[in-house]
């Protein structure tokens, strides 16, 4: 009888170690490919997530291409890629085609001017009202800088996106419009738009946070600076409205709801139907758990624990 008990204990111990060994090997031997394309807004953090995920699973190859949210949704729905990066809310037609959206983080679209703009000082004293932005980007009524209370009759050079863009769609949504309603010289991609505004002291555009603030300094040292919004429409930028000094201040304002939404917005990984590919599922699970440690330093906003759990349930 004693022998039987001892044998059972040994057998159970062997089985325990065998299972642990199998689990460890399975984690190490996760192999395959993931293809991703889409929003410039999500591209930098997705690259970081992929790099960190591959440290754990070196047998996984992840190909990521930025090309705008429109490309992301088109590629994934046509099954050219496994995941589409989308920086706007999905529409009914996309859901009808099988789009399945999983929120992974949050950021915001910010109006921008060149760091060399001669109008920067006045703009940071007055701010710009929402109606004024609408008259610059949508109606086209405001064509010169003196319409913003600046002593200059120089023309306002407006820049927008040429590609189907989540940033453009979200910025337009701030005014109750669509991307096609935005006026201006059309430029491809978030980096391209930032460069166009950077080179033009009389220009104005809009960019995602990560293309404005430097990841190392947290300051707006990439050649463009935010245009502050006069949120209470009193014709001046009050201290509580001036939260653009560094990315931490801006993120805190977004989290607190001081910066409006839109143009703050959630960012999504989109698949066709609920993800079934085990490698894709593991990657998304990693992003919504351990991968969240990289979000803030990369210039994005973390979801609440409740929101992360809700999104995680979608891939379980």
């Amino acid at each position: 009888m004693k022998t039987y008990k001892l044998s059972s204990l040994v057998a159970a111990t062997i089985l325990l170690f065998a299972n642990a060994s199998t689990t460890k090997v399975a984690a190490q031997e996760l192999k395959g490919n993931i293809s991703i394309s889409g929003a410039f807004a999500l591209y930098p953090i997705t690259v970081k997530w992929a790099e960190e995920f591959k440290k754990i699973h070196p047998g996984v190859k992840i190909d990521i291409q930025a090309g705008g949210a429109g490309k992301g949704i088109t590629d994934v729905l046509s099954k050219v890629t496994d995941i589409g990066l989308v920086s706007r809310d999905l529409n009914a037609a996309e859901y009808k085609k099988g789009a399945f959206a999983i929120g992974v983080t949050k950021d915001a679209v910010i109006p921008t001017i060149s760091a060399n703009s001669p109008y920067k000082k006045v703009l940071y004293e007055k701010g710009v009202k929402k109606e004024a932005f609408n008259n610059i980007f949508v109606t086209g009524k405001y064509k010169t800088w003196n319409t913003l209370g600046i002593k200059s009759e120089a023309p306002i050079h407006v820049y927008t996106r040429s590609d189907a863009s989540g940033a453009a769609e979200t910025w337009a949504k701030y005014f109750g419009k669509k991307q096609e309603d935005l006026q201006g010289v059309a430029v491809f991609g978030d980096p391209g738009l930032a460069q166009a505004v950077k080179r033009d002291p009389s220009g104005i555009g809009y960019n995602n946070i990560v293309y404005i603030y430097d990841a190392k300094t947290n300051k707006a040292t990439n050649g463009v600076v935010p245009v502050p919004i006069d949120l209470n429409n009193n014709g001046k930028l009050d201290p509580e409205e001036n939260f653009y000094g560094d990315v931490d201040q801006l993120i805190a304002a977004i989290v607190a709801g001081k910066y409006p939404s839109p143009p703050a917005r959630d960012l999504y990984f989109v698949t066709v139907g609920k993800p079934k590919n085990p490698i894709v599922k593991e990657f998304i699970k990693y992003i919504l758990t351990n991968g969240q440690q990289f979000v803030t330093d990369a210039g994005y906003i973390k979801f609440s624990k409740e929101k992360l759990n809700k999104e995680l349930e979608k891939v379980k």
Side-chain angles (χ1 to χ4, degrees):
M1 196 70 176
K2 290 180 181 179
T3 305
Y4 174 76
K5 286 183 177 179
L6 183 60
S7 299
S8 298
L9 181 61
V10 171
T13 304
I14 292 171
L15 183 61
L16 180 63
F17 278 107
N19 286 342
S21 178
T22 301
T23 302
K24 187 176 180 181
V25 170
Q28 291 175 342
E29 293 185 352
L30 190 64
K31 293 181 179 179
N33 301 321
I34 303 174
S35 56
I36 303 172
S37 77
F40 286 95
L42 261 172
Y43 178 79
I45 186 62
T46 304
V47 169
K48 178 63 176 176
W49 281 330
E51 289 172 350
E52 297 299 326
F53 185 76
K54 286 188 287 186
K55 290 177 183 177
I56 306 168
H57 303 289
V60 177
K61 181 182 178 182
I62 305 176
D63 179 69
I64 310 167
Q65 296 184 6
K71 177 174 172 54
I73 195 71
T74 298
D75 284 351
V76 73
L77 290 180
S78 59
K79 299 184 179 180
V80 173
T81 60
D82 299 303
I83 298 170
L85 307 179
V86 181
S87 53
R88 57 166 174 76
D89 293 336
L90 272 63
N91 58 49
E94 290 161 347
Y95 281 120
K96 192 173 182 180
K97 291 176 182 177
F100 187 85
I102 301 159
V104 290
T105 188
K106 184 183 183 77
D107 81 337
V109 182
I110 312 292
T112 52
I113 54 172
S114 171
N116 296 319
S117 171
Y119 317 115
K120 182 170 62 174
K121 184 177 183 294
V122 177
L123 291 176
Y124 272 81
E125 291 171 354
K126 294 176 175 291
V128 177
K129 297 177 182 178
K130 179 179 178 179
E131 181 184 3
F133 281 123
N134 183 66
N135 285 332
I136 292 170
F137 284 96
V138 180
T139 69
K141 290 180 181 178
Y142 287 8
K143 298 183 183 298
T144 55
W145 285 100
N146 60 8
T147 56
L148 298 179
I150 295 170
K151 294 179 181 180
S152 173
E153 294 184 6
I156 300 174
H157 299 157
V158 184
Y159 294 92
T160 187
R161 290 280 288 274
S162 63
D163 50 310
S165 156
E169 191 68 24
T170 302
W171 184 237
K173 192 175 180 180
Y174 183 41
F175 312 111
K177 300 294 183 179
K178 298 287 188 181
Q179 176 176 349
E180 52 267 29
D181 297 315
L182 295 178
Q183 301 201 20
V185 176
V187 182
F188 178 80
D190 218 320
L193 184 50
Q195 282 297 314
V197 173
K198 175 183 176 180
R199 291 193 296 261
D200 188 349
S202 196
I204 189 169
Y206 51 87
N207 287 98
N208 299 301
I209 293 173
V210 292
Y211 294 96
I212 301 171
Y213 293 89
D214 182 81
K216 293 181 180 179
T217 66
N218 285 347
K219 302 289 186 179
T221 54
N222 292 333
V224 294
V225 296
V227 180
I229 303 175
D230 177 12
L231 296 168
N232 61 12
N233 292 312
N234 68 350
K236 63 179 181 178
L237 191 69
D238 297 316
E240 61 270 22
E241 296 173 314
N242 190 3
F243 38 69
Y244 303 92
D246 60 48
V247 73
D248 293 333
Q249 290 181 51
L250 179 55
I251 287 174
I254 295 167
V255 171
K258 292 181 180 179
Y259 190 83
S261 180
R265 44 62 192 288
D266 290 351
L267 304 175
Y268 302 94
F269 274 22
V270 177
T271 57
V272 177
K274 187 174 181 177
K276 297 178 181 178
N277 183 325
I279 302 173
V280 171
K281 288 178 69 174
E282 283 304 312
F283 183 48
I284 296 174
K285 286 178 183 178
Y286 168 80
I287 286 168
L288 294 171
T289 53
N290 292 344
Q292 290 296 302
Q293 66 185 293
F294 307 109
V295 167
T296 303
D297 286 346
Y300 296 80
I301 297 97
K302 274 186 179 181
F303 283 153
S304 66
K305 188 175 291 186
E306 292 75 18
K307 174 75 169 175
L308 286 170
N309 288 336
K310 180 181 177 183
E311 299 305 309
L312 196 55
E313 283 296 319
K314 294 181 181 179
V315 291
K316 285 185 177 179

